[in-house]
């Protein structure tokens, strides 16, 4: 691989694509849209203290979520799981889910998807 090809795959910390949401933000570092993968999407989800993202699902990919910092309640098709730093959950395609921050600080979640072309269907209009 040439140096130019390697440089196009490298995303520096300040180069992530950030989406500001009412409940926090999403930072995307790998995806087809960013031009550095044709097979997966990787990002970080930040949920503000006392906030939650909207119920949603991904019709075309699985998601793996790891709590990096904080405490959340992860809802999967209505079943609630308390998760703390280091905990990981695998969310199959089509499963309605959302996360609620129950900690004293902003929650940080590492999120990975099995498609570089991740699709999201918002169930409640709040995603």
């Amino acid at each position: 691989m040439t140096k130019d090809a390697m440089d196009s795959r490298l995303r520096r910390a300040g180069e992530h694509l950030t989406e500001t949401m009412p409940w926090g933000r999403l930072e995307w570092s790998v995806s087809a849209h960013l031009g550095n993968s044709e097979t997966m999407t990787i990002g970080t989800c930040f949920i503000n203290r006392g906030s939650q993202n909207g119920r949603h699902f991904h019709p075309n990919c699985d998601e793996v979520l790891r709590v990096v910092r904080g405490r959340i309640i992860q809802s999967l098709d209505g079943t609630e799981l308390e998760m703390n730093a280091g905990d990981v959950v695998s969310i199959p395609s089509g499963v309605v889910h959302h996360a609620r921050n129950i900690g004293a600080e902003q929650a940080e979640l590492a999120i990975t998807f099995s498609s570089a072309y991740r699709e999201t269907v918002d169930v409640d209009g709040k995603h």
Side-chain angles (χ1 to χ4, degrees):
M1 184 177 288
T2 67
K3 183 174 179 349
D4 287 342
M6 288 178 62
D7 286 346
S8 71
R9 297 188 178 281
L10 175 64
R11 290 200 74 83
R12 303 279 182 195
E15 299 174 342
H16 302 305
L17 176 64
T18 300
E19 290 182 65
T20 302
M21 309 300 265
W23 44 263
R25 73 184 189 279
L26 295 165
E27 290 184 2
W28 301 110
S29 53
V30 174
S31 73
H33 175 74
L34 295 171
N36 55 359
S37 181
E38 285 294 318
T39 59
M40 60 192 318
T41 300
I42 297 175
T44 307
C45 175
F46 298 89
I47 302 177
N48 297 331
R49 184 176 157 222
S51 294
Q52 63 186 357
N53 58 4
R55 292 183 325 132
H56 63 281
F57 66 93
H58 308 286
N60 70 325
C61 57
D62 292 352
E63 176 179 355
V64 174
L65 178 149
R66 181 175 58 86
V67 179
V68 175
R69 180 172 41 103
R71 291 179 49 227
I72 66 166
I73 296 289
Q74 179 67 54
S75 175
L76 303 166
D77 276 342
T79 299
E80 293 189 340
L81 306 169
E82 184 171 336
M83 297 179 66
N84 297 290
D87 293 347
V88 177
V89 65
S90 177
I91 306 167
S93 174
V95 171
V96 175
H97 61 282
H98 77 282
R100 182 174 77 242
N101 185 346
I102 59 169
E105 62 184 346
Q106 184 180 60
E108 180 179 347
L109 316 172
I111 49 178
T112 304
F113 300 86
S114 62
S115 173
Y117 300 89
R118 172 189 66 93
E119 296 174 10
T120 301
V121 175
D122 187 349
V123 175
D124 298 324
K126 296 180 182 179
H127 187 75

